[in-house]
Amino acid sequence: MKTMLGQAATLVQSHLNWLDRMTRCFPRRVVAVLTILLTLSLASLATLRFETDIFQLFPADRPALRLLLDSLEWSGGAREAYFLLEGEPQQLSGEAERLAERLRTLQVDGAPAFKRVVYRIYEESEAQRFADLVAFAAAHPAAFVPPDQLDALVARFSNTGIEQALNQLTSQLATSLGASTVGIAIADPLGLRDLFLPRLKAGSQALDMDPASPYFMSRDGRVLIMIAEPAKAVQDMAFARKLVAGINQARAGSQVAVSCAGAHISAVIDEAAMKFNILACIVSSLLVVLGIFYAVYRHLWPTLMIPLFVASGVLASLGLAGLFLDSVHIISFAFTALIIGLGADYSIHLYDRFHSERSCGVSTDQAITRAITDTGQGLFVAAASTCLPFLALAWAEVRALSELGLLVGLGVLFTLYANLVLMPLVLRLLDRSDRSYRPLPTVGMDRLWRFAGRWPRTILTITVVSWLLLALFAQRTAFDVELKNLQPQHSEAFRAQQLVEQHLNLAPKSLLVAVDGPTQAAVLQGNLPVEQLAAKLAAEGRLQAWSSLGQTMNRQADQRQIVAHLSGLASAAATLEKQLVRQGFDQQDFAAYLALVRTGSLTAVVPDETIISRLAVSPLRSVVERHLVQDVTGWHALTYLYFRPGQLHPEQFVDQLASVAPEARVTGTDLVSSELLAAVRRSAVQGIGLGTGMVLLLLLLHFRTMSGVAASLGPVLYGAVAMLGTMSLVGMKFNFMNIMVVVTIVGIGCDYGMHILHRCASHDPAQQSAAFVQAGRSILLSALTTIAGFGSLAFTDYGAMASIGWAANFGIFFTALAALLPMPALMHRISARR
């Protein structure tokens, strides 16, 4: 074993010696090779696409998530644009009409921007279709009137009921202001629409709207929804950008607040917001890193080297990733800010060693050689221990983790090599033999060493006690399963979602059940057990509301029960004719309705296919579109369940559903979150386990003793536990993205302890102070630059990135603190015992 470890260490040393020799003896060849590699990386980068859809970060083969994505496509959620008008009730309808007109006339590249724009239950242009539907439903009440309204239906056909209905009809016609209203009243002289229209309207709407309003209006009258279908797909980004520009012009000057949502709006507005956030992160972190470097070393030209090294590493990593990936999510790209912090670490360690050697009178070539071949050993192991845990995530089933692992792992590795190869070239080019180098400031490391030597036992005791307390708080760390909290908190989509939740949600929670089959009849039949289960749960008070096609129309069994009670209405047509004559109506106006009644329509059982076809060509076609879908795979019957937290447990419902309809699929935010949580946990555990094993092996190769490995990992253990405890104390939760920070702490944290041991263990106690000052200064600056990289993420508006930034900053801070204070205290205790 020792022979293998020795051989591995020898290989690393030989590799570093070779790099030093190549940069010293063949600089032009090195530059030529680097130029070729970076050119190829640029060519590969040009083939990469950047995506913004949050769902693309997770595996789409999970049942609940797959059905959720399918439902977005079926419902048009992936194609349509939504406008939410918020204001005083008396303003909304007028502002909606003006906005709708502007959107209908909006053009992109000389063509209409939208195929349709709707904000009413039905438009005036569809008045005749609506009247036809009312006429059919009034003549076939068994098909539409709810069974619990049976008594009211029978009462309408009594002598008294007919007389009252015609009196009401007289009033309606006398006060009518439009031909559409007259047509609907004549199509349904007995006013049966009062019994079935609320049911149909509710079935056509996924939100809690005012049933009395002709608009898509919330019950409180504060929010009106407008739905528009863009002329082109969201993948046409040039069209989407022009569309959003036109939308912004159309809603400018509106007297009410207008929020937009939908795939096209998110693809442009949210993409722009994310790109701005990411660019701000990269620029701000780079400026902070450069500022820290210059403040300590006070040389401008070494400071300006850092962007060159980092840019080369990032470009090479993206170029190589382009060979394996067709696209990269923009959140994954945001971790360029992290690579800036990590890449600057290597620049700091190498230049610190070079500067220290030059200040001692060593020549430029000797100083570079010592920095590359000696300090480079620690950097090589540190970079490997950082990049390997990330690369271990490249095989994760969750794209969010696999892309992140691949990009950051490659970025760390290539940034190290950029420093090892480019820094010697730049230093030999710019450094002069007569340049004077002053000793570097200790930045308080000498006082910290003396403090640790004076109170070693106290420091170690406080460390252990604080670790135990933070470990207790760490046990209360929770997991946030809400995907919406990963979105930009001030984006258009997030604002629209808040409005829907506040004014229009039928209930805070919902589930969608889908029954798939080859034919319409098959899925309607297969959906019957689902509807029966939903009805049972609603009767038990476990649902706030539910909706299916069978709930908006009567199935064959219900129709037969209703028809049985209407069998005595054979004389209804004659009674109605007499009443019409007596009240002065022209019977010719009602000839169509009377003819149907005479032929026995009131007691007819209508086939499901006939009812569906009638609804599908009416203004209330969304009743069918919401609950019955046909695509290339077949037919799908959909049932929606709405409930409050605690009313229904989704996992229990899945078990109940499997017992009555095993072929049915079900989805909901809770179920999707559970699936994603399981996948993320599985990937994270595998990545952390594999990465930790690799780190242990690397540390063992470097130190060759278990005591050195244990001492190096001590700061990691303290930092990880302290991070979890602090997150719990400040009310911060883990989520699908920041869980990978544990991998980061394992990779980065062991570097700090390793550098101190690497520099101090080879010196006797009298010389350890100077070695600690140099190593401690580099670690302090490295921690600050890494926090600068992550810190920029912490202040973004994007919840996913902000949570990563804060969690990582906590972990890095405590890991660096554990390396800079308890470790020197431990060294003093060991020296005292010896």
Side-chain angles (χ1 to χ4, degrees):
M1 182 66 178
K2 290 184 177 180
T3 303
M4 292 178 59
L5 296 177
Q7 289 177 348
T10 302
L11 287 174
V12 172
Q13 187 64 60
S14 300
H15 180 60
L16 293 172
N17 291 335
W18 177 79
L19 287 176
D20 177 59
R21 186 171 62 256
M22 292 297 295
T23 56
R24 184 176 64 253
C25 301
F26 307 103
R28 292 183 179 179
R29 295 182 185 179
V30 172
V31 172
V33 171
L34 288 177
T35 302
I36 294 173
L37 290 177
L38 292 178
T39 302
L40 293 175
S41 297
L42 279 172
S44 176
L45 179 60
T47 64
L48 275 179
R49 293 183 297 104
F50 290 93
E51 297 181 356
T52 59
D53 185 0
I54 190 72
F55 289 113
Q56 295 297 323
L57 288 173
F58 303 104
D61 59 344
R62 298 297 182 273
L65 181 56
R66 180 68 267 160
L67 178 55
L68 176 62
L69 298 177
D70 287 343
S71 68
L72 292 176
E73 186 64 32
W74 294 337
S75 66
R79 303 186 303 273
E80 295 175 336
Y82 303 91
F83 301 87
L84 282 79
L85 286 70
E86 181 185 15
E88 296 299 326
Q90 61 271 18
Q91 291 181 300
L92 290 179
S93 59
E95 288 296 323
E97 291 176 5
R98 285 186 284 272
L99 177 61
E101 183 60 28
R102 290 193 290 268
L103 293 177
R104 288 179 180 129
T105 58
L106 178 64
Q107 292 194 335
V108 172
D109 296 330
F114 293 101
K115 296 179 182 177
R116 63 186 181 96
V117 178
V118 296
Y119 60 98
R120 300 169 60 97
I121 301 298
Y122 71 92
E123 300 295 325
E124 289 298 324
S125 60
E126 295 186 306
Q128 186 55 52
R129 290 185 178 183
F130 188 70
D132 292 342
L133 174 65
V134 170
F136 177 81
H140 302 85
F144 292 103
V145 175
D148 58 6
Q149 295 286 336
L150 180 57
D151 292 340
L153 174 62
V154 174
R156 290 293 175 97
F157 288 96
S158 66
N159 291 333
T160 303
I162 292 175
E163 184 177 357
Q164 291 176 347
L166 294 182
N167 288 335
Q168 185 177 1
L169 177 62
T170 302
S171 300
Q172 290 175 347
L173 294 176
T175 58
S176 175
L177 298 178
S180 61
T181 306
V182 173
I184 294 171
I186 291 176
D188 177 26
L190 297 182
L192 299 185
R193 59 189 178 278
D194 296 338
L195 302 179
F196 59 77
L197 275 185
R199 182 187 193 187
L200 290 176
K201 287 182 179 180
S204 67
Q205 299 166 358
L207 301 170
D208 186 19
M209 297 183 185
D210 182 3
S213 174
Y215 303 97
F216 298 144
M217 185 83 71
S218 63
R219 285 186 181 273
D220 59 8
R222 301 288 304 178
V223 174
L224 186 148
I225 296 181
M226 185 177 297
I227 304 172
E229 184 179 356
K232 295 184 180 180
V234 66
Q235 287 79 9
D236 189 340
M237 287 302 298
F239 169 80
R241 293 189 182 96
K242 295 176 182 179
L243 177 68
V244 170
I247 288 173
N248 290 333
Q249 290 181 352
R251 62 177 171 169
S254 178
Q255 300 301 310
V256 297
V258 181
S259 300
C260 303
H264 293 74
I265 285 82
S266 295
V268 176
I269 297 178
D270 291 349
E271 178 191 39
M274 284 191 288
K275 285 183 176 178
F276 175 80
N277 279 329
I278 291 170
L279 182 61
C281 288
I282 294 173
V283 172
S284 61
S285 60
L286 183 60
L287 291 177
V288 172
V289 167
L290 297 180
I292 292 172
F293 193 93
Y294 182 77
V296 175
Y297 298 107
R298 298 299 179 94
H299 283 166
L300 181 61
W301 53 269
T303 304
L304 298 179
M305 293 189 303
I306 294 179
L308 172 65
F309 304 152
V310 172
S312 300
V314 171
L315 180 59
S317 64
L318 286 173
L320 184 57
L323 299 178
F324 303 101
L325 305 173
D326 294 328
S327 62
V328 172
H329 200 279
I330 198 166
I331 292 180
S332 303
F333 180 70
F335 282 86
T336 304
L338 169 59
I339 299 175
I340 290 174
L342 294 175
D345 291 357
Y346 309 136
S347 300
I348 289 172
H349 284 285
L350 287 174
Y351 186 75
D352 194 285
R353 181 66 182 274
F354 170 80
H355 193 288
S356 298
E357 295 293 339
R358 289 286 282 129
S359 65
C360 294
V362 176
S363 67
T364 300
D365 279 344
Q366 288 179 319
I368 292 174
T369 297
R370 292 180 183 180
I372 298 298
T373 59
D374 186 20
T375 303
Q377 289 184 55
L379 292 182
F380 192 88
V381 176
S385 66
T386 301
C387 75
L388 287 179
F390 279 106
L391 290 177
L393 292 174
W395 286 270
E397 57 184 315
V398 179
R399 179 181 175 181
L401 298 180
S402 63
E403 278 189 5
L404 171 66
L406 183 64
L407 292 178
V408 176
L410 292 177
V412 168
L413 185 62
F414 288 138
T415 305
L416 169 68
Y417 274 94
N419 278 278
L420 291 174
V421 174
L422 289 175
M423 183 175 284
L425 297 176
V426 175
L427 289 176
R428 288 192 175 96
L429 178 66
L430 298 177
D431 193 34
R432 302 191 310 271
S433 59
D434 60 344
R435 183 185 294 275
S436 61
Y437 284 84
R438 298 179 180 179
L440 291 170
T442 64
V443 294
M445 291 298 109
D446 53 344
R447 292 191 295 273
L448 190 63
W449 175 263
R450 291 194 297 270
F451 177 78
R454 187 176 304 169
W455 308 100
R457 181 177 297 178
T458 303
I459 291 173
L460 293 175
T461 301
I462 292 174
T463 300
V464 172
V465 172
S466 63
W467 184 86
L468 291 174
L469 289 175
L470 289 168
L472 290 176
F473 286 109
Q475 295 178 5
R476 303 188 326 195
T477 305
F479 199 97
D480 185 3
V481 297
E482 291 289 344
L483 289 174
K484 68 177 183 179
N485 293 334
L486 301 180
Q487 300 174 355
Q489 301 298 297
H490 296 90
S491 69
E492 287 271 348
F494 193 84
R495 169 62 179 161
Q497 188 173 358
Q498 284 183 318
L499 284 177
V500 169
E501 291 177 355
Q502 183 179 355
H503 297 277
L504 290 157
N505 265 5
L506 289 169
K509 300 284 186 179
S510 65
L511 291 174
L512 169 64
V513 181
V515 175
D516 313 305
T519 63
Q520 183 185 106
V523 297
L524 291 177
Q525 183 64 30
N527 202 48
L528 281 174
V530 179
E531 295 172 352
Q532 292 168 358
L533 176 59
K536 176 185 174 185
L537 294 174
E540 295 173 353
R542 297 169 62 188
L543 291 179
Q544 197 74 11
W546 69 282
S547 174
S548 73
L549 198 56
Q551 197 189 26
T552 55
M553 69 180 201
N554 294 328
R555 295 296 185 87
Q556 302 290 298
D558 289 334
Q559 288 191 57
R560 292 189 187 96
Q561 292 180 3
I562 294 175
V563 166
H565 288 79
L566 299 180
S567 58
L569 299 180
S571 61
T575 304
L576 178 57
E577 287 184 70
K578 292 178 182 178
Q579 290 284 3
L580 287 171
V581 172
R582 192 166 66 84
Q583 296 198 28
F585 287 101
D586 186 352
Q587 292 189 46
Q588 292 301 318
D589 294 334
F590 305 94
Y593 181 75
L594 292 172
L596 288 173
V597 173
R598 289 193 197 99
T599 58
S601 65
L602 297 179
T603 56
V605 175
V606 184
D608 293 343
E609 294 78 5
T610 303
I611 300 174
I612 293 171
S613 63
R614 287 281 186 169
L615 287 171
V617 298
S618 75
L620 296 181
R621 52 187 169 271
S622 54
V623 173
V624 178
E625 293 171 351
R626 282 196 68 222
H627 300 103
L628 187 64
V629 179
Q630 183 184 21
D631 61 12
V632 293
T633 64
W635 288 84
H636 313 275
L638 308 179
T639 301
Y640 301 85
L641 312 177
Y642 304 95
F643 58 97
R644 297 187 182 279
Q647 272 187 312
L648 184 70
H649 298 287
E651 292 79 9
Q652 294 179 3
F653 174 79
V654 171
D655 294 337
Q656 289 179 285
L657 182 65
S659 64
V660 298
E663 74 284 355
R665 296 188 291 159
V666 60
T667 189
T669 53
D670 291 340
L671 295 177
V672 170
S673 297
S674 297
E675 285 184 349
L676 298 183
L677 177 57
V680 169
R681 277 179 174 169
R682 199 159 43 244
S683 297
V685 169
Q686 292 172 356
I688 293 170
L690 182 58
T692 302
M694 292 178 177
V695 169
L696 288 173
L697 180 60
L698 287 169
L699 293 177
L700 190 59
L701 290 173
H702 185 70
F703 291 111
R704 306 186 193 182
T705 62
M706 290 305 298
S707 59
V709 173
S712 181
L713 289 179
V716 177
L717 180 60
Y718 185 89
V721 171
M723 175 189 73
L724 296 175
T726 305
M727 289 173 62
S728 176
L729 285 171
V730 301
M732 183 177 171
K733 299 180 180 180
F734 266 128
N735 56 45
F736 297 110
M737 297 301 299
N738 65 19
I739 194 171
M740 52 67 56
V741 172
V742 179
V743 182
T744 304
I745 300 305
V746 171
I748 298 175
C750 67
D751 298 356
Y752 298 153
M754 187 206 62
H755 282 303
I756 290 180
L757 288 177
H758 177 77
R759 295 304 307 276
C760 296
S762 59
H763 296 79
D764 57 51
Q767 298 175 321
Q768 281 184 350
S769 175
F772 174 79
V773 167
Q774 183 182 354
R777 177 177 57 230
S778 298
I779 289 170
L780 177 63
L781 297 180
S782 296
L784 291 177
T785 55
T786 305
I787 288 176
F790 273 121
S792 59
L793 296 177
F795 295 98
T796 65
D797 185 49
Y798 209 101
M801 293 189 289
S803 67
I804 292 170
W806 282 113
N809 285 339
F810 291 150
I812 292 168
F813 170 77
F814 285 112
T815 303
L817 180 64
L820 294 176
L821 195 55
M823 282 196 70
L826 182 62
M827 290 179 183
H828 280 290
R829 288 286 295 170
I830 294 173
S831 298
R833 289 183 178 181
R834 288 177 178 174

